Amino acid sequence: MQQRRIQTDGLTQQILEAGEGPLVIFCHGFPELGSSWRRQLPALAAAGFHAVAPDMRGYGGTDRPQAVEAYTILNLVGDMVDLVRALGHQQAVIVGHDWGAPVAWHAALLRPDVFRAVAALSVPFQPRRPGRPPIETYKAIAARKKLGDFYMLQFQEPGAEAAFEADVAGGLTRAFYAYDGATPDERRSTGFTPEGVAFLDSVTDAVRPPWMDAEELATYVAAFEASGFGGPFNWYRNLDRNWSLMAFAQDRTIDVPALFAVGQKDPVRNYAGHAEAELKRWVPDLRVQAVIPGAGHWLQQERPEEVNRLLIELLKGL
């Protein structure tokens, strides 16, 4: 694998890449980096593909615009379209995990001419619903079901990222531990906390997950100490703005070949699991829908061999 910076339209992106051949772009989520795909890139390179994992907008070595509104879903999809061009390709398959999954889904939704197939991990496609915007909807669900405070709503508050920045190593360790499949069931987060309790404060006695060694954690820590968490939190602060921006594409389906995989114990299923059941309706060429036994949220890192097998099978079948 090689790391370099590449200039796209108005944004310099840091990428990790390996191999030659048809292009496959990997989009990471929170709180991750392009190196979150370090177990996928060599495998896909060996299978005959040009595998590229950028640090997404606001993360790591990629530029970090200051404005909150610079992190909408349209900006994020546009970054990936620009990256395809900058790499000298006309098309790509796009893969996303966590927040990278909505980026991948919407890239395939809006630019099927560029993204010829899509694979998403952990987060299913969630179509825009008319009526109430997401923040209001999440508040109503939490109140009705008496679930407590939803972490995405906590992340809306100005300065909420300060808790992560005050202790980067501790914050990252808690975040990874809270959503990991190896974490005891009673200690794994549900995504909701007792009312008035911040997300990080709800996770105690956290340790590094078994798939992450000290060197890998140090890589994350160094990157986030340099970049801060403002950009990543701004992704969350555009939930309602994204809902407004995507009105023009409501009811549109994703028609390119697709794959979705989720860990059996992934906490995201507590608040997005309903979308798994109707995924085929919105993604008619869904060729694989897999639930990985025992896995949590960090699927490509917890179960790299299984993820690599699924991805290569999809790619070889195109």
Side-chain angles (χ1 to χ4, degrees), residues 75-315:
N75 294 109
L76 302 170
V77 170
D79 290 344
M80 297 303 99
V81 174
D82 291 341
L83 183 57
V84 172
R85 293 197 200 102
L87 290 165
H89 292 261
Q90 299 298 315
Q91 288 189 314
V93 173
I94 191 163
V95 182
H97 168 253
D98 185 79
W99 250 115
V103 176
W105 288 125
H106 283 84
L109 178 75
L110 300 175
R111 293 302 305 269
D113 57 319
V114 175
F115 299 102
R116 61 192 183 100
V118 57
L121 308 180
S122 300
V123 180
F125 178 63
Q126 299 172 77
R128 183 190 189 276
R129 305 290 191 185
R132 294 188 298 187
I135 290 177
E136 185 179 342
T137 299
Y138 285 138
K139 286 180 178 179
I141 292 172
R144 184 175 71 251
K145 295 186 177 182
K146 298 180 179 180
L147 296 172
D149 290 341
F150 187 37
Y151 84 96
M152 288 193 192
L153 301 183
Q154 295 180 4
F155 283 12
Q156 303 298 314
E157 298 300 321
E161 63 269 28
F164 277 85
E165 294 174 346
D167 177 11
V168 173
L172 289 171
T173 301
R174 291 185 181 194
F176 286 123
Y177 179 81
Y179 270 52
D180 193 63
T183 298
D185 291 348
E186 67 275 10
R187 298 180 66 82
R188 190 179 308 106
S189 176
T190 63
F192 296 86
T193 68
E195 192 167 341
V197 177
F199 172 74
L200 288 183
D201 291 338
S202 72
V203 186
T204 57
D205 300 322
V207 296
R208 279 185 286 108
W211 47 265
M212 175 180 279
D213 62 26
E215 182 179 355
E216 290 170 338
L217 177 60
T219 298
Y220 280 105
V221 171
F224 282 100
E225 284 183 341
S227 68
F229 286 83
F233 270 61
N234 284 341
W235 289 46
Y236 291 92
R237 292 168 178 146
N238 278 283
L239 289 174
D240 280 0
R241 185 175 284 110
N242 290 341
W243 181 82
S244 296
L245 289 172
M246 289 304 299
F248 76 96
Q250 186 166 305
D251 298 328
R252 181 183 293 180
T253 57
I254 296 171
D255 297 326
V256 301
L259 174 154
F260 176 69
V262 65
Q264 176 195 5
K265 298 181 177 182
D266 192 333
V268 171
R269 305 183 87 191
N270 294 321
Y271 44 90
H274 63 280
E276 291 181 39
E278 60 175 13
L279 191 56
K280 186 74 173 179
R281 172 187 172 189
W282 296 101
V283 189
D285 197 3
L286 183 64
R287 300 186 178 186
V288 178
Q289 185 167 0
V291 178
I292 310 301
H297 182 64
W298 316 107
L299 198 56
Q300 78 272 31
Q301 303 186 83
E302 293 183 49
R303 298 289 190 275
E305 293 83 5
E306 181 70 3
V307 168
N308 293 348
R309 181 186 64 80
L310 291 171
L311 290 176
I312 292 170
E313 286 181 359
L314 174 72
L315 292 167

